[in-house]
């Protein structure tokens, strides 16, 4: 990628370049949605969560759209919680302070990325947010901060690596502090024999400490090119600084401990932990370039940015035919928006026009929160539909089995209600008063295949409604058969009473033997008629 594409870094708000990684997941729907939210806030030990906002204050969304993600109003019968915005379908949470000293959770700790033992770059997370929806869909949003002076080529490379989440070729390391119990006499100027000692940097010189005096933590990286530093805390206290491994899976375990995740939709399995983890994340990126000489260079870079690719992925010429490329929208001469199944990105560049450039240098970054909000609404539609169709795939769709199994029948009824809720509350054709936002929203909906998934779900919904109607009709028919049997039994009893009356009359006329025969025959006739009616009615029911 051409180094003439320089990232502009004099922004007054310091939000650009923007690189967010969005991890989708579904969580257990057996647990009340609001209870999950309160558990995350009140019972998390690894990270301290609080309610947060996602949308910017200066937006042009319709009012009901802007209220969709906030603090929820819907009550939870399990605990009676009823707080928040009217019409909301999701909550946004944020980790309070990223300063716990834990890798990935401390903005002061730069994480080093190594690929095949080669250092690619460093980063930390500026902000960590999570959005939980009533539909049991959630998103973890990680806002990455790269070092100042990073090139566009380096940025796209880092995005490509970080979106991979759990890549076996990638190592994450950080500089760890560890306190030691040492005396000044333990610090030597002369190396020990063999490997019984270890060299450390101390006051810009090399010193040696007996290895038995040092106990590294289990995450010690121990690379030959990684120097160990000895730190003097004074008052007779010493510590070491050295490179240690940190693992993305440990980080996810820490911050998602109270979210009962069932799938990340694109899972990878960790045998050691016997758990699933996300395979990839979506990238949401925005960058402002200085004035450029060659627009085609910027458009080539934009291909990698919106796809989350590295620069070895070369775009086809059709990528630059914006008239026929349904994944790119250019609302202004110096601004590109692009979307793909992998992510969404925005590339802008300075024009030399003072008024235009002043907007992009200052206020523009604040507007990007609204585009992230837009993107999340569509991602929620995509994964919400994927989750519903997945639940349908595991259903037993034979009406008779569902009728005989109360749990299965309840599952179908709940699924029907969840689909109805999704249709009414989560899918919108129009969202904004601004035309270019509306066009961008439509493009994202189309690229993520929401309408096709809706058509598929609509067909499956018809089948579910048909199964429920069939089960209810069968139950109604069974009730009618029971009523019919009861009526038939009443009729048989009436016949039997009549036989008894005849029997009594015969006895009165001293014809005892004939009476006994009539009595026995009447009883047998009644039993026979009852058996025939029961067999016929239930046989008819089984054939329905």
């Amino acid at each position: 990628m051409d180094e003439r594409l320089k990232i502009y870094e004099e922004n007054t708000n310091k939000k650009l370049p923007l690189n967010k990684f969005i991890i989708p997941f579904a969580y257990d729907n057996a647990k009340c949605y609001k209870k999950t939210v309160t558990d995350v806030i009140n019972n998390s030990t690894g990270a301290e969560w609080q309610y947060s906002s996602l949308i910017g204050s200066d937006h042009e969304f319709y009012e009901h759209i802007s209220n969709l993600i906030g603090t929820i109003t819907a009550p939870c019968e399990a605990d009676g919680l009823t707080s928040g915005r009217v019409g909301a379908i999701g909550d946004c949470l944020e980790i309070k302070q990223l300063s716990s000293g834990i890798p990935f959770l401390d903005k002061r700790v730069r994480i080093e990325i190594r690929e095949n033992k080669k250092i690619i770059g460093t980063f930390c997370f500026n902000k960590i947010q999570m959005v939980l929806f009533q539909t049991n869909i959630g998103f973890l949003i990680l806002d990455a901060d790269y070092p100042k002076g990073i090139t566009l080529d380096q940025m796209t490379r880092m995005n490509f690596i970080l979106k991979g989440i759990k890549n076996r070729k990638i190592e994450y390391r950080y500089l760890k502090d560890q306190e030691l119990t040492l005396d000044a006499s333990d610090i030597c100027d002369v190396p020990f024999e063999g490997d019984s000692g270890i060299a450390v940097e101390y006051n810009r010189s090399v010193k040696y400490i007996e290895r038995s005096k040092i106990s590294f933590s289990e995450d010690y990286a121990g690379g030959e090119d990684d120097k160990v530093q000895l730190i003097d805390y004074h008052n007779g206290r010493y510590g070491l600084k050295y490179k240690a491994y940190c693992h993305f899976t440990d980080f996810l375990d820490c911050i998602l401990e109270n979210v009962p995740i069932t799938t990340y939709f694109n899972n990878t399995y960790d045998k050691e932990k016997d758990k699933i983890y996300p395979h990839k994340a979506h990238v949401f990126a925005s960058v402002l370039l200085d004035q450029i000489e060659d627009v085609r260079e910027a458009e080539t870079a934009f291909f990698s940015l919106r796809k989350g690719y590295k620069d070895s992925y070369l775009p086809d010429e059709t990528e630059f035919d914006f008239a026929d490329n349904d994944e790119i929208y250019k609302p202004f001469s110096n601004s590109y928006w692009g979307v793909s199944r992998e992510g969404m990105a925005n590339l802008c560049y300075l024009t030399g026009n003072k008024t235009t450039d002043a907007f992009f240098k200052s206020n523009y970054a604040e507007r990007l929160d609204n585009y992230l909000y837009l993107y999340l609404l569509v991602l929620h539609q995509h994964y919400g539909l994927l989750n519903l169709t997945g639940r349908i795939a595991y259903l037993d769709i034979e009406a008779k089995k569902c009728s005989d199994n109360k749990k299965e029948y309840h599952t179908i009824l709940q699924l029907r209600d969840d689909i109805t809720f999704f249709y009414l509350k989560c899918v919108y054709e129009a969202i904004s008063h601004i035309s270019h936002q509306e066009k961008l929203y439509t493009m994202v909906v189309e690229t993520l295949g929401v309408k096709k998934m809706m058509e598929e779900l609509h067909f499956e919904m018809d089948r579910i409604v048909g199964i429920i109607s069939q089960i209810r009709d069968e139950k109604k028919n069974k009730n009618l058969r029971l009523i019919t049997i009861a009526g038939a039994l009443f009729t048989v009893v009436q016949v039997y009473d009549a036989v008894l009356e005849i029997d009594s009359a015969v006895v009165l006329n001293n014809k005892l033997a004939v009476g006994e025969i009539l009595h026995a025959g009447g009883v047998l006739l009644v039993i026979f008629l009852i058996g025939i009616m029961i067999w016929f009615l239930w046989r008819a029911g089984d054939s329905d």
Side-chain angles (χ1 to χ4, degrees), residues 292 295-296 298-299 302 322 328-338 345-349 364:
I292 60 177
V295 174
R296 176 55 66 92
E299 292 172 350
F302 182 56
F322 295 161
I328 295 178
Y329 175 51
K330 190 178 179 184
F332 308 107
S333 63
N334 67 325
S335 178
Y336 300 80
W337 278 100
N346 167 238
L347 183 145
C348 304
Y349 56 86
Y364 183 68

Side-chain angles (χ1 to χ4, degrees), residues 497-516:
D497 284 344
V499 170
L500 289 178
E501 288 180 7
I502 295 172
D503 180 41
S504 299
V506 171
V507 171
L508 289 173
N509 291 326
N510 297 319
K511 297 180 180 179
L512 186 58
V514 176
E516 288 177 352

Side-chain angles (χ1 to χ4, degrees), residues 140-387:
L140 184 65
I141 308 168
L142 310 174
D143 183 8
D145 175 64
Y146 298 149
K148 191 171 182 179
I150 190 172
T151 66
L152 186 56
D153 183 20
Q154 291 171 329
M155 191 181 92
T156 54
R157 176 69 177 169
M158 294 273 281
N159 284 356
F160 174 76
I161 290 173
L162 282 177
K163 81 163 188 178
I165 303 295
K166 198 172 181 292
N167 188 331
R168 281 177 289 182
K169 295 180 181 179
I170 302 301
E171 288 180 0
Y172 298 104
R173 300 186 183 191
Y174 73 108
L175 198 59
K176 181 172 184 173
D177 289 349
Q178 178 180 327
E179 190 165 343
L180 293 176
T181 303
L182 288 177
D183 293 323
S185 59
D186 293 323
I187 304 169
C188 304
D189 296 324
V190 181
F192 291 82
E193 292 183 3
D195 61 351
S196 60
I198 185 169
V200 297
E201 280 191 354
Y202 181 60
N203 291 337
R204 299 183 180 181
S205 61
V206 178
K207 301 292 183 180
Y208 300 91
I209 302 174
E210 189 175 352
R211 190 174 289 275
S212 62
K213 302 282 185 181
I214 298 176
S215 177
F216 289 109
S217 61
E218 293 181 358
D219 56 0
Y220 173 55
E224 292 182 1
D225 58 337
D226 293 326
K227 298 175 181 178
V228 178
Q229 294 176 286
L230 179 65
I231 309 299
D232 188 350
Y233 295 140
H234 304 296
N235 300 322
R237 295 171 56 244
Y238 295 91
L240 289 182
K241 273 192 174 182
Y242 56 86
K243 293 287 181 66
Y245 294 116
C246 48
H247 304 282
F248 221 105
T249 53
D250 294 341
F251 163 65
L252 293 176
D253 290 343
C254 173
I255 64 175
L256 297 175
E257 60 178 328
N258 282 306
V259 183
I261 293 173
T262 57
T263 181
Y264 290 99
F265 298 100
N266 191 355
N267 299 320
T268 181
Y269 177 69
D270 188 310
K271 288 184 179 180
E272 186 178 337
K273 294 188 175 185
D274 190 26
K275 290 180 68 174
I276 57 169
Y277 290 98
H279 180 57
K280 287 185 178 179
H282 294 280
V283 181
F284 181 84
S286 181
V287 63
L288 176 63
L289 301 179
D290 212 330
Q291 288 183 251
I292 60 177
E293 298 176 9
D294 189 342
V295 174
R296 176 55 66 92
E297 291 174 6
E299 292 172 350
T300 302
F302 182 56
F303 168 77
S304 299
L305 196 64
R306 74 181 181 87
K307 293 274 192 178
Y309 290 167
K310 52 185 176 181
D311 60 356
S312 59
Y313 290 72
L314 302 177
D316 186 76
E317 283 300 312
T318 55
E319 174 73 16
F320 309 108
D321 185 2
F322 295 161
D324 291 329
N325 193 332
D326 296 330
E327 295 184 350
I328 295 178
Y329 175 51
K330 190 178 179 184
F332 308 107
S333 63
N334 67 325
S335 178
Y336 300 80
W337 278 100
V339 67
S340 65
R341 289 293 178 108
E342 295 87 352
M344 182 174 177
N346 167 238
L347 183 145
C348 304
Y349 56 86
L350 300 179
T351 63
N353 183 294
K354 288 184 179 181
T355 305
T356 301
D357 290 353
F359 168 73
F360 281 97
K361 290 177 182 179
S362 57
N363 298 328
Y364 183 68
E366 300 293 339
R367 309 290 178 93
L368 293 172
D369 289 339
N370 301 327
Y371 291 93
L372 174 63
Y373 186 88
L374 178 155
Y375 186 42
L376 279 172
L377 291 181
V378 187
L379 281 177
H380 174 236
Q381 293 172 25
H382 174 81
Y383 285 106
L385 290 165
L386 193 60
N387 189 47

Side-chain angles (χ1 to χ4, degrees), residues 419-435:
I419 293 173
T420 302
F421 176 85
F422 197 87
Y423 279 160
L424 294 176
K425 298 285 290 182
C426 305
V427 181
Y428 296 91
E429 290 290 331
I431 64 165
S432 176
H433 295 286
I434 298 178
S435 58

Side-chain angles (χ1 to χ4, degrees), residues 20 27 33-34 37 40-41 49-56 66-72 85 88-96 127-134 137-141 369 372-373 376:
K20 291 180 182 282
Y27 60 96
Y33 153 77
K34 197 63 183 180
V37 174
V40 171
I41 291 177
W49 292 92
Q50 64 182 357
Y51 285 106
S52 179
S53 62
L54 192 67
I55 195 170
S66 66
N67 284 337
L68 289 176
I69 302 176
T71 304
I72 283 250
R85 296 182 184 181
I89 60 170
D91 273 321
C92 180
L93 310 177
E94 182 178 340
I95 293 180
K96 282 186 179 180
K127 184 188 291 186
I128 298 174
Q129 293 177 299
M130 178 164 55
V131 177
L132 293 172
F133 286 95
Q134 286 190 67
I137 300 297
F139 298 95
L140 184 65
I141 308 168
D369 289 339
L372 174 63
Y373 186 88
L376 279 172

